[in-house]
Amino acid sequence: FCMGWSCLFIHEQFENIRFCFAPYLYMTPFFRLFTRCTGVPGSAGKADMISYLRGGESVALPIGGFEEATLTCLQQDRVFIKKRTGFIRLCLQFGVAVRPVFVFGEKDCYWNIQGGWKSRLALNRLGLPAVLTWGCSWLPLLPKRNVELYIVVGDPLPLPKIEHPTKEDVHKWHEKYITALTKLH
């Protein structure tokens, strides 16, 4: 549910990094206003990401998106990454490094209803977050109290610049990213 992401977003060490969010989320007025007051937000739409990278900006992207939020459960850490290769393709096209980040404790911030995966993930593909969460007892949209988050930022994984990466190129570097992310856990 991106509580660790929120911590990074407002941390002074990351103040010059554009944090990108799902286009539908970024378009909502309250969310957009809040993120503009606390950092440098952006849309994670492909055209927007290309624009940021073309302009030489450093970007951060919660790769798992709505799908990862949908799959979150208290019993185990879940990462929605295997089908997320677009970010690697873009990074290869611009020759920029990727840096894995993992937040320990994030799964404990909210209770999330489980099951109904096919229909819920289908809604996610339409840009509708299919999550039903409960955090703090007196205000469910806030995370549970007394949950400790530990954010681990891995070493950068430099990617070569390949203007037209093949599926094999993308697969190779995506696997290296997954390996680097796994090492953090």
Side-chain angles (χ1 to χ4, degrees):
F1 292 96
C2 295
M3 294 312 299
W5 190 253
S6 301
C7 294
L8 286 174
F9 184 64
I10 61 173
H11 194 282
E12 64 187 34
Q13 187 177 8
F14 297 93
E15 65 187 22
N16 294 321
I17 295 176
R18 182 178 295 274
F19 280 74
C20 299
F21 303 91
Y24 295 108
L25 186 59
Y26 182 66
M27 294 292 187
T28 59
F30 176 76
F31 183 82
R32 197 171 195 171
L33 176 65
F34 172 73
T35 56
R36 283 187 174 168
C37 291
T38 58
V40 183
S43 167
K46 183 178 179 180
D48 296 312
M49 296 294 290
I50 289 171
S51 173
Y52 305 144
L53 292 170
R54 205 174 263 145
E57 292 186 57
S58 293
V59 297
L61 178 69
I63 300 161
F66 291 152
E67 287 82 356
E68 192 166 304
T70 299
L71 297 171
T72 297
C73 71
L74 295 172
Q75 291 75 29
Q76 63 183 342
D77 290 311
R78 291 179 174 166
V79 179
F80 191 87
I81 186 78
K82 290 185 180 178
K83 294 182 180 183
R84 302 288 192 186
T85 58
F87 75 102
I88 293 291
R89 179 176 302 283
L90 282 177
C91 290
L92 285 168
Q93 289 172 336
F94 289 92
V96 297
V98 292
R99 178 171 261 186
V101 175
F102 192 83
V103 181
F104 292 93
E106 193 160 43
K107 67 178 176 53
D108 301 318
C109 291
Y110 292 92
W111 172 84
N112 183 32
I113 193 166
Q114 300 295 292
W117 304 121
K118 274 189 173 182
S119 57
R120 292 174 66 201
L121 292 172
L123 286 171
N124 290 166
R125 286 189 293 278
L126 296 173
L128 302 169
V131 295
L132 180 57
T133 62
W134 192 277
C136 181
S137 60
W138 52 274
L139 189 55
L141 293 177
L142 291 178
K144 292 177 189 172
R145 298 176 64 193
N146 302 321
V147 173
E148 293 187 27
L149 299 179
Y150 298 97
I151 302 168
V152 181
V153 180
D155 293 328
L157 176 63
L159 273 63
K161 184 172 183 173
I162 305 173
E163 235 174 278
H164 303 288
T166 64
K167 284 184 179 181
E168 291 77 23
D169 293 329
V170 173
H171 177 74
K172 171 186 169 182
W173 289 100
H174 187 254
E175 287 299 315
K176 288 185 180 198
Y177 176 82
I178 291 174
T179 299
L181 182 64
T182 304
K183 284 182 182 176
L184 297 181
H185 195 267

